[in-house]
Amino acid sequence: MIQMDLEQRQSVRFDRPFLVTNHEDEAFSAAFVGADVNLTGLGFYIEDPDLFLPNQQLSLRVRNEQTDEMYCLEGVEVVHLRPGESGQYLCGCHIAQVTSGQLLAHHRLVMTDANTALVSMQASKLSEFNFLEDGSALSKDEADFQEASMALNLAVTQSEENQKEVMRFLNTVENLFNCPLDNETKLQELKEEFSDFRVYLQQMNDSTVAFATLAKLLAHTPEDSADKLAWRTLIADFETRFLTETQQVAYDFMHQGLDATEAIEIANEYLKK
């Protein structure tokens, strides 16, 4: 077995009927049979283990056998080559980045039902939705940009609130250094402050990036009606997974005409009841 020395998130993979071939093979005349997929990866069967190498970058063409939808994936990296029971080898690949259209097509291949969406999204990461802007068409619907503007306003407001927390932390640390406590007590309290702040720092970064990514998703909503509906499903999955309850309520309040600051304040008060 050839195994790459590469850290890769191993989320749940799903069996799906699909074919994989190289980028130039538009007719899928020399296609490989797909094995399994998740949002950031796919695996397919090959006969010759020397056909691909660990760390090799591939440009693949994928065909969803359930819908006949075809799409391309650039910069796909070979993660492992494992022998299977039938004498074939499973070539596992990691999808680094995609355009919005490729993200939608791959999302449709993976997310065939509500349960699959729930399981897959639970193991997903924010970075998986940070698609490439080059090659990703912008929406032609003004309403999508209005929605994106709301999400961006919330991201900015939340970032400003986060800055206040950073200043609070710095003031607390400065006060601890200047207080008359003995060094051992100071050290213990500093450790606790840094530990709490480290957790909060990750949370506030994720929450701001979530709103910014939501805005990006909205701004690149496709024009085709079927694709638009599927993209809305993708966005709904994203909101459920990555927006906190407070963020979702604040976003709803913005749709009622409140500005970002008011929306966040009222959302916090609303959820305390």
Side-chain angles (χ1 to χ4, degrees):
M1 178 178 71
I2 302 173
Q3 181 69 44
M4 286 174 47
D5 183 19
L6 173 68
E7 182 179 355
Q8 182 201 17
R9 183 184 58 79
Q10 296 294 327
S11 64
V12 178
R13 292 198 174 218
F14 303 95
D15 294 331
R16 295 287 183 267
F18 66 98
L19 296 177
V20 178
T21 189
N22 63 57
H23 189 273
E24 291 75 25
D25 183 16
E26 297 183 6
F28 284 80
S29 58
F32 304 107
V33 176
D36 50 31
V37 292
N38 60 21
L39 275 181
T40 57
L42 75 165
F44 53 92
Y45 295 109
I46 60 176
E47 300 289 342
D48 183 0
D50 295 325
L51 193 59
F52 302 114
L53 299 173
N55 296 320
Q56 184 176 351
Q57 296 283 326
L58 307 176
S59 294
L60 301 178
R61 189 178 294 273
V62 181
R63 185 169 74 196
N64 185 337
E65 292 289 87
Q66 291 179 314
T67 63
D68 280 335
E69 181 175 24
M70 290 181 283
Y71 58 99
C72 297
L73 296 172
E74 302 289 343
V76 178
E77 188 170 0
V78 177
V79 175
H80 59 71
L81 294 165
R82 296 174 179 167
E85 296 179 358
S86 62
Q88 294 179 311
Y89 288 79
L90 175 62
C91 180
C93 298
H94 175 67
I95 304 169
Q97 283 186 306
V98 293
T99 64
S100 59
Q102 292 163 349
L103 174 62
L104 176 59
H106 196 67
H107 183 270
R108 273 196 284 239
L109 176 62
V110 178
M111 309 296 200
T112 56
D113 56 78
N115 184 62
T116 296
L118 178 63
V119 173
S120 184
M121 290 299 292
Q122 283 177 340
S124 62
K125 289 185 175 182
L126 261 173
S127 58
E128 296 168 16
F129 292 85
N130 186 26
F131 56 86
L132 296 169
E133 294 177 11
D134 290 343
S136 300
L138 286 168
S139 173
K140 296 182 180 180
D141 189 342
E142 183 179 344
D144 292 326
F145 287 98
Q146 291 174 342
E147 294 261 352
S149 178
M150 291 182 195
L152 280 177
N153 284 336
L154 285 166
V156 171
T157 300
Q158 197 158 269
S159 181
E160 291 171 347
E161 291 298 315
N162 292 340
Q163 186 61 34
K164 294 177 183 177
E165 181 61 24
V166 172
M167 294 307 300
R168 183 210 64 77
F169 168 74
L170 293 176
N171 289 333
T172 300
V173 171
E174 184 178 6
N175 291 335
L176 279 172
F177 275 119
N178 296 327
C179 73
L181 296 173
D182 61 87
N183 289 337
E184 185 175 346
T185 303
K186 283 184 181 181
L187 180 60
Q188 182 59 38
E189 294 203 14
L190 282 170
K191 285 182 178 179
E192 292 175 1
E193 282 291 335
F194 273 99
S195 178
D196 292 342
F197 185 68
R198 184 181 293 110
V199 174
Y200 179 79
L201 188 65
Q202 184 61 52
Q203 291 175 344
M204 70 182 189
N205 179 67
D206 287 347
S207 61
T208 302
V209 172
F211 269 138
T213 304
L214 174 60
K216 185 175 179 179
L217 288 166
L218 289 163
H220 288 272
T221 299
E223 184 177 9
D224 178 80
S225 57
D227 287 346
K228 183 188 287 284
L229 182 61
W231 193 253
R232 288 293 180 183
T233 300
L234 184 153
I235 288 176
D237 289 341
F238 177 88
E239 290 179 2
T240 301
R241 169 66 177 86
F242 294 110
L243 295 189
T244 65
E245 188 176 8
T246 301
Q247 287 179 304
Q248 292 181 52
V249 172
Y251 191 43
D252 288 341
F253 278 134
M254 282 204 73
H255 284 81
Q256 298 176 28
L258 299 182
D259 64 34
T261 302
E262 291 175 321
I264 290 177
E265 289 177 354
I266 295 176
N268 285 324
E269 293 174 4
Y270 177 81
L271 293 174
K272 287 179 181 178
K273 296 179 181 179

